[in-house]
Amino acid sequence: MRNLPSTLPVLFVCEIFFLLGHGLIMTLLGVRMSLEGFPSQMAGLLMSSFSLGFVAGSYLLEKRIRSVGHIRVFAACAAVLAVTAMLHGLWVNQWAWLFWRLFGGAATAGLLMVMESWVSGESSNDNRGRVLAIYLVISTTSLAGGQWLLNVADPASMVLFSVTGILFALSLIPLSIYRIHGPKRSGHETALKLPLKVLYKRAPVGLVGAFAAGMMVQAFFAMTPYYGQEIGLSTGQTAQFMSITTLVALVAQWTLGRVSDRLDRRKVILFMAVVMAVSGGVISTVARTDYLFLLLIACLHTAMLHTLYSLSLAHTNDWLEPEETIQANAKLLIWYGIGSVVGPFSASLAMQILGPDGLWMFLGSVSLALAGFILTRLRGRRSWAPEVAQEPWLPTAPMETSHYVELDPRYEPHQFELFASDNAHH
């Protein structure tokens, strides 16, 4: 942490509160729906509503970030999440919940877009893998912690919805009490348009990897509890299975992040895809006969699965100019969101046709397809390359923008002049 830019620890504290609330609301809604006797298919509709909002937010809020800045969009999205969390508890109605989840998905996409472009903008090619690894470690730990908060109070009461709203509101405090600037290399005032075709041409593995991550991650979280019940796991074993397979990714995120800073990130993603394909095949054929063996192989699979999006993001940012970061990250989130709409439904169809093992056959098949795609790209040539292939992000002096000066009156004019003066020397 000592070697990180000063803004990132503050952002990571915001991330902790946000993802504690996110982890709690995702688990709480499923439990409360069961307690209220909502039909089972409503769980799928809620996830689809959230994912549709996520895709819409990824598209619309990217423009707002360029217009008003990272900090203001973060504040607005955190406020929306706090309000919708409270509304879930105040009005327990399945159709109203679909509406709230639509807004919740859009706000979640906005917060993730802000954080990921901020983290990327404050890092360089030399340390981006490590920085994103820290980001993902904090994300995983916070999400798991939010799920454990379900034990704080009775899920049938309003209390946990209030706790969720409080956590979302707390994520605003670090940005309010610290003098902080937006990402130095985001270039949101001079942001360049980045058509999808251009992004695919530059970093096809990053874009396809984000889509595959959305399919598999959301399918895993949506369908694994059903898988556990179908193969005879107890409720306690299912909860333990979900927690352990999520937390085990911490080691992989840190290790693979460091490795990817030294190797071609496409080769690291290829290795991960092969491991997921093999482990998915093993689980779908023999692993479920023994719980401990199932848990071990599933941990190997999810360690790769939960790291896939972060490395896809890092790989994509390696091939971007600073002014293109926000649009690229928005497009990655859109395709992650599209994958998250397609994945759970596709996995449920596989389970309906093939039985509970269809979940792991689906995950293994997507991984195998991703591995095949990466192999074709490794054998081809890039048609675009930055001027400095190893380190395309040249360091520039920080420049405060009018958005942040306007938002936070504590920024004094002489500070802006000092930064401008420093930049002039270069």
Side-chain angles (χ1 to χ4, degrees):
M1 284 285 192
R2 286 183 229 168
N3 299 324
L4 294 179
S6 59
T7 58
L8 289 185
V10 177
L11 183 65
F12 288 158
V13 174
C14 299
E15 178 193 5
I16 289 170
F17 285 121
F18 157 55
L19 289 174
L20 281 171
H22 182 60
L24 176 56
I25 192 71
M26 294 289 280
T27 307
L28 175 59
L29 288 176
V31 173
R32 186 62 181 267
M33 287 175 63
S34 176
L35 293 175
E36 296 292 338
F38 289 173
S40 58
Q41 60 266 32
M42 186 55 64
L45 286 175
L46 270 183
M47 180 164 290
S48 296
S49 178
F50 179 85
S51 298
L52 287 173
F54 191 95
V55 172
S58 300
Y59 176 76
L60 298 172
L61 293 176
E62 176 268 330
K63 298 177 182 178
R64 300 311 304 165
I65 293 175
R66 287 192 285 123
S67 175
V68 303
H70 287 68
I71 296 176
R72 283 182 172 180
V73 172
F74 187 100
C77 290
V80 169
L81 284 173
V83 170
T84 55
M86 298 287 192
L87 287 173
H88 279 93
L90 290 173
W91 189 7
V92 182
N93 177 280
Q94 54 188 343
W95 303 111
W97 280 17
L98 286 176
F99 192 64
W100 309 146
R101 291 313 286 159
L102 190 68
F103 281 92
T108 299
L111 284 179
L112 290 174
M113 199 188 315
V114 166
M115 291 191 297
E116 288 170 6
S117 62
W118 203 325
V119 168
S120 296
E122 290 288 274
S123 59
S124 67
N125 264 26
D126 289 335
N127 67 4
R128 186 173 293 114
R130 291 192 296 274
V131 171
L132 286 174
I134 295 172
Y135 170 76
L136 264 295
V137 166
I138 293 173
S139 298
T140 304
T141 307
S142 301
L143 282 171
Q147 293 169 358
W148 282 106
L149 287 175
L150 192 66
N151 299 315
V152 169
D154 182 3
S157 69
M158 174 69 186
V159 174
L160 288 178
F161 290 107
S162 299
V163 171
T164 305
I166 290 170
L167 289 169
F168 288 138
L170 286 174
S171 69
L172 290 168
I173 293 178
L175 291 181
S176 303
I177 64 175
Y178 283 96
R179 183 176 294 181
I180 187 173
H181 58 73
K184 297 175 184 176
R185 283 183 277 267
S186 71
H188 71 270
E189 285 197 321
T190 57
L192 299 177
K193 290 186 177 180
L194 188 64
L196 184 63
K197 289 183 179 179
V198 176
L199 179 60
Y200 179 81
K201 189 175 181 180
R202 294 200 193 163
V205 172
L207 193 62
V208 174
F211 175 73
M215 289 184 69
M216 293 191 290
V217 170
Q218 296 305 319
F220 173 81
F221 280 115
M223 305 310 301
T224 301
Y226 292 97
Y227 169 81
Q229 295 297 314
E230 288 293 320
I231 67 172
L233 297 184
S234 66
T235 303
Q237 283 179 319
T238 300
Q240 183 187 61
F241 184 88
M242 294 295 293
S243 299
I244 293 176
T245 52
T246 300
L247 290 173
V248 75
L250 294 175
V251 176
Q253 287 165 358
W254 177 259
T255 304
L256 292 172
R258 292 182 66 88
V259 170
S260 73
D261 284 337
R262 294 170 172 81
L263 301 176
D264 185 336
R265 296 192 211 275
R266 294 176 300 168
K267 294 181 180 178
V268 179
I269 297 173
L270 172 61
F271 167 78
M272 293 162 54
V274 171
V275 171
M276 287 189 290
V278 173
S279 58
V282 171
I283 294 175
S284 63
T285 53
V286 297
R288 70 164 171 162
T289 57
D290 181 80
Y291 174 69
L292 292 180
F293 185 49
L294 168 65
L295 183 60
L296 176 64
I297 303 300
C299 283
L300 184 63
H301 183 96
T302 56
M304 306 295 112
L305 176 61
H306 294 314
T307 312
L308 177 57
Y309 180 76
S310 65
L311 288 194
S312 299
L313 176 66
H315 168 69
T316 301
N317 278 280
D318 288 341
W319 297 92
L320 298 175
E321 301 297 340
E323 296 82 4
E324 298 167 327
T325 302
I326 294 175
Q327 281 224 350
N329 288 352
K331 285 179 170 59
L332 284 184
L333 280 175
I334 288 172
W335 281 94
Y336 180 93
I338 294 172
S340 71
V341 174
V342 174
F345 180 70
S346 301
S348 66
L349 288 180
M351 293 178 72
Q352 183 178 358
I353 297 170
L354 303 171
D357 292 324
L359 170 62
W360 298 99
M361 292 181 185
F362 169 78
L363 295 175
S365 298
V366 175
S367 303
L368 189 61
L370 177 61
F373 176 80
I374 297 172
L375 281 173
T376 62
R377 303 309 304 180
L378 287 172
R379 296 180 63 181
R381 285 187 173 183
R382 285 190 178 276
S383 56
W384 182 92
E387 293 180 3
V388 184
Q390 293 299 317
E391 195 174 3
W393 286 38
L394 300 178
T396 57
M399 177 73 74
E400 295 299 334
T401 73
S402 59
H403 301 310
Y404 303 119
V405 174
E406 230 176 78
L407 178 64
D408 190 348
R410 294 171 298 176
Y411 280 93
E412 300 173 0
H414 67 80
Q415 184 179 5
F416 182 85
E417 294 170 1
L418 176 61
F419 287 150
S421 175
D422 288 342
N423 195 38
H425 288 309
H426 295 285

